Amino acid sequence: MFTVFRWLLRILSGLILLGLAALAVAYFFLSRSLPDYSEDFALPGLSAPVEIVRNNANVPHIFGGSDEDVFRALGFAHAQDRLWQMTLLRRTAQGRLSEIFGERTLQTDAMIRRYDLYGLASRAVPAQDEPTRRALDAYARGVNDWIDQVNAEARGRGAPEFFFFSNEIAAWQPADSIAILKLMALQLSSHLESEVLRARMSLLLPDDRLHDILPDDPGQAVTALPRYSELAPGVTPDYEPIRMAEDPLSPFHRRAFAGASNAWAAAPARSAAGGTLLANDPHLSFTAPSIWYLARLQLQSGGVIGATIPGTPVIMTGRSDALGWGLTTAYVDDQDLHIEEVNPDNPEEYRTPDGWKKFETRRSIINVAGSAPVTLTLRWTENGPVLAGSHYDVGTVTPRGHVMSLSWTALAEGDTSMTAAMRLMQSKTVDDAIEAGRLVVAPAQNVMLADRAGIAMQTVGAIPNRDPQMQAQGRLPTPGWDPRNRWDGVRPYEDNPRVVNPDTGILGNTNNKTVDRPFPNHVSFEWGDTQRIQRWLALMRAREVHTRESFIEAQLDTVSIGARQVLPLIGADLWFTGEAAPEGTPERQRQRALEMLAQWNGEMNEHMPEPLISQAWLAALQDRLIRDELGPMADEFGHIDNVFLTRVFRNEGGAGVWCDIIQSSPVETCTDIARMALDDALVWLSDRYGKNIESWRWGDAHQATHDHPVLGNVPLLRYLVNIRQSTSGGDDTLLRGVTKGYGQDPFQNVHGAGYRGVYDFADPDSSVFITSTGQSGHPLSRFYDDLGGLWRRGEYIPMSLDADLARAAAVGITHLTPR
């Protein structure tokens, strides 16, 4: 027996040693792609030496003899830290994910090919001005310089992910950078899905109930629209969605995640230090690493610092010594769906105002790893590309014998948005920046601006010029052969919303409604926020003058105006009613929850139970209100809509009828439904987090999910590559953390401010910024998640253009010299 035990011990020890040896070998090869930030390189074609100084947060400060050399060094730095992320973004825009991920991404590739994003990007390169083309060329050379180093020096294939997937890295092209910008436009667009959803709801609900479940911004008159059955006869309600599956690799997000942001500015008269102030935090889906990469560029026009997107050579949001700029999604209605009638005698033709016309058709082959190639037939009409029926469920609202096409400003030829971004980055004044915005096509954004003298907000991006007689005013799919429904170019840039130096001295946008104009000058019927703006107004009015700290305080504010407004309504007949119930009973737990909520100020603090109770209650309540009318379609409304709940519990326009469960004999009141929903929520929470209500924490449910889009679901590896953090905030707080809204963990924080910046022009070098993960995309790097803890705690790092300060705390200095 002792001999057997001794041999088992030897075998176990051997296996452990083999495992450790395997880990050591794996670490050796994987760590080969970690860059040495103090290594020097000789590159052909540089006009003069270039210096990349990486400060203690690994933010590169780039100094060169010419702008082209600086952009080349930025491409080099991006590739050093984010090569896998860049190639993944490029493959997504090209519709070539399936070459390495197989059938998992086939639908995504097929839809991207229908849009022809990469073809449009390639044809847009000649449309850029000469300085922008030179910058794109230089940036591409810098990326390729690092790829050459990877190939020549066996630097771990460039990133650990290339060991798991194809290590083929094509040379970077200027079109790749423009394609990534178009990919961002795709992720920030939501009106296509909104039109489909409104059409499906129109088939299910009467007009008054339709305006309840898809409410307009309060205060805006409800527009009388035709029934969708009038526009598309023969279409019947379809409860079963056929949408493509959710996938972290897909750029097609649900409308709740179509983009959001905060930006505000104060004029010198409203600043305690006498200089302008600007704060910005753009919101996108969380990933590891973050989509944002901090950088400082020393250009001939001066130093600029802020957030870049790896793969592009511009500071998207940031500041120079003279100007600060920030972005928020403008929610411009720049998409329209068109019902296209197919010729029953010739399926190659579709109906136009001038008769039948042939589809523009071509074939595209998608290579699929592990499967046979797939050949797609791509078709375009005069209105735009023909969509697949699975794309956002357009097939459910397409009449038999018809197809659906899409008009979208981002599909315009000769897109000059990259030139606009380049000019904005080098602008010196608000007026210069506003003029630069003239060239933006897509994505449409509100640009918040501040120079040393004043502030402004300008909506940039093409706004379609619609016919005043358009049948559904851009809110439903309409017949594409009717001239009234077709676009007549775009509106003049001067018509875009613009505010310069308002009398109040304060400007802000939280994706709220910016104008109240009649159609077709309306900009949009749908806006991204009705709640955060109320809290922001309260914070701005609370002070006569503001400081960098007060702007940071607003950026990190976690008070939910929605909870403050809705909870008193739904609990009006529940607070402090009835006798105390025995301990341990459901009634006692309900009373305790109501007591806690009655004393709560609406702060969505990660350490408190009240936010978790309120969100679970409101989610259960909304589901109870709509499930009997909508059936499976209720799944489309996974996020709490405080405007809808307010309409119901105030019985606005008779909306209180939603409280009655039509499939039951009794007539339920809103109080009945509120009580039942609270009990549902408490049962779910007890099963999930235990019986002790005081021990529940919002942060346990509201974890920020910075997950690796490829390796994030791989057992064991996910613990290395995913970054999960308990967070405060919620769907409608200024410190925004949008919940997932479905599945086993509906309150996970999946979308929010991956970048925050606050710029103070009284002392520009006191400005601060932060990202939500770290600068490196390498999981073995200490810079992979080092900024995440600061971000979670609401802390920032200095945003200084002081070269000596960067050098004093440098973790490495790379010298690029002409070969």
Side-chain angles (χ1 to χ4, degrees), residues 332-539:
V332 167
D333 186 359
D334 55 8
Q335 294 179 315
D336 274 337
L337 287 171
H338 300 283
I339 307 165
E340 308 283 7
E341 182 180 356
V342 179
N343 188 345
D345 300 321
N346 183 359
E348 300 299 317
E349 296 180 336
Y350 67 100
R351 185 178 174 187
T352 74
D354 303 315
W356 301 109
K357 182 176 181 177
K358 278 194 172 184
F359 289 101
E360 181 185 338
T361 304
R362 67 176 173 84
R363 297 189 183 277
S364 182
I365 298 175
I366 301 177
N367 294 315
V368 184
S371 301
V374 174
T375 301
L376 290 178
T377 299
L378 309 178
R379 295 188 293 176
W380 286 267
T381 70
E382 292 176 344
N383 293 313
V386 174
L387 305 181
S390 60
H391 190 57
Y392 289 116
D393 297 338
V394 297
T396 63
V397 294
T398 305
R400 186 181 298 275
H402 296 71
V403 294
M404 199 75 77
S405 70
L406 172 68
S407 292
W408 181 27
T409 56
L411 304 181
E413 296 285 345
D415 187 340
T416 53
S417 301
M418 183 63 76
T419 295
M422 201 62 77
R423 291 185 182 181
L424 171 61
M425 179 177 67
Q426 300 181 62
S427 296
K428 295 294 187 182
T429 67
V430 164
D431 290 340
D432 292 343
I434 290 175
E435 184 59 28
R438 183 181 298 275
L439 297 178
V440 176
V441 177
Q445 296 282 289
N446 294 317
V447 182
M448 193 68 64
L449 299 163
D451 59 20
R452 291 182 179 272
I455 59 175
M457 187 180 78
Q458 170 71 51
T459 299
V460 300
I463 300 179
N465 190 26
R466 295 181 173 90
D467 191 313
Q469 303 303 315
M470 187 178 188
Q471 286 178 289
Q473 300 184 340
R475 308 188 78 179
L476 293 169
T478 53
W481 60 87
D482 191 322
R484 296 173 298 174
N485 301 326
R486 293 186 160 207
W487 294 356
D488 183 18
V490 298
R491 303 190 68 82
Y493 181 60
E494 287 70 22
D495 288 354
N496 286 18
R498 177 186 302 174
V499 182
V500 179
N501 292 325
D503 293 339
T504 60
I506 296 284
L507 275 173
N509 183 257
T510 60
N511 313 113
N512 57 289
K513 180 171 61 176
T514 54
V515 293
D516 197 3
R517 304 173 183 169
F519 179 87
N521 302 320
H522 65 309
V523 177
S524 179
F525 285 113
E526 298 190 16
W527 305 93
D529 173 55
T530 61
Q531 308 290 309
R532 284 178 289 137
I533 188 62
Q534 299 179 48
R535 178 61 179 171
W536 176 79
L537 286 170
L539 292 176

Side-chain angles (χ1 to χ4, degrees), residues 479-700:
W481 60 87
D482 191 322
R484 296 173 298 174
N485 301 326
R486 293 186 160 207
W487 294 356
D488 183 18
V490 298
R491 303 190 68 82
Y493 181 60
E494 287 70 22
D495 288 354
N496 286 18
R498 177 186 302 174
V499 182
V500 179
N501 292 325
D503 293 339
T504 60
I506 296 284
L507 275 173
N509 183 257
T510 60
N511 313 113
N512 57 289
K513 180 171 61 176
T514 54
V515 293
D516 197 3
R517 304 173 183 169
F519 179 87
N521 302 320
H522 65 309
V523 177
S524 179
F525 285 113
E526 298 190 16
W527 305 93
D529 173 55
T530 61
Q531 308 290 309
R532 284 178 289 137
I533 188 62
Q534 299 179 48
R535 178 61 179 171
W536 176 79
L537 286 170
L539 292 176
M540 293 299 106
R541 291 167 179 162
R543 294 171 178 260
E544 183 61 32
V545 293
H546 285 272
T547 64
R548 185 194 69 170
E549 284 67 31
S550 70
F551 267 34
I552 290 175
E553 179 185 348
Q555 209 169 58
L556 302 178
D557 187 80
T558 61
V559 173
S560 169
I561 287 293
R564 284 185 170 187
Q565 292 177 342
V566 173
L567 289 177
L569 290 174
I570 68 174
D573 296 326
L574 299 178
W575 308 117
F576 312 113
T577 58
E579 297 179 357
E583 287 292 340
T585 62
E587 291 78 9
R588 179 58 188 148
Q589 191 176 47
R590 183 202 308 151
Q591 289 175 352
R592 181 66 187 128
L594 288 167
E595 290 170 4
M596 294 171 68
L597 292 176
Q599 300 172 41
W600 179 49
N601 68 349
E603 183 184 356
M604 302 289 288
N605 187 292
E606 62 180 296
H607 302 294
M608 299 171 65
E610 288 88 352
L612 182 56
I613 298 169
S614 70
Q615 294 303 289
W617 184 11
L618 294 177
L621 173 62
Q622 180 168 291
D623 191 71
R624 272 191 174 269
L625 290 172
I626 67 176
R627 180 70 60 176
D628 58 321
E629 277 92 348
L630 303 185
M633 280 294 292
D635 293 338
E636 299 290 332
F637 301 90
H639 288 84
I640 299 162
D641 190 331
N642 290 314
V643 176
F644 167 67
L645 294 177
T646 299
R647 285 179 62 85
V648 170
F649 278 83
R650 286 181 174 165
N651 196 27
E652 296 178 8
V657 70
W658 286 89
C659 291
D660 180 34
I661 301 176
I662 58 177
Q663 300 179 33
S664 68
S665 298
V667 177
E668 290 84 3
T669 67
C670 288
T671 299
D672 295 333
I673 295 297
R675 182 185 299 109
M676 289 187 284
L678 179 56
D679 289 343
D680 290 345
L682 293 174
V683 168
W684 184 83
L685 291 171
S686 296
D687 291 342
R688 195 71 180 269
Y689 302 104
K691 300 295 184 181
N692 185 3
I693 193 170
E694 283 81 4
S695 68
W696 297 345
R697 293 177 67 257
W698 172 235
D700 291 340

Side-chain angles (χ1 to χ4, degrees), residues 237-249:
D238 190 326
Y239 290 92
E240 293 300 326
I242 56 177
R243 174 191 293 115
M244 64 181 70
E246 298 285 343
D247 192 306
L249 290 172

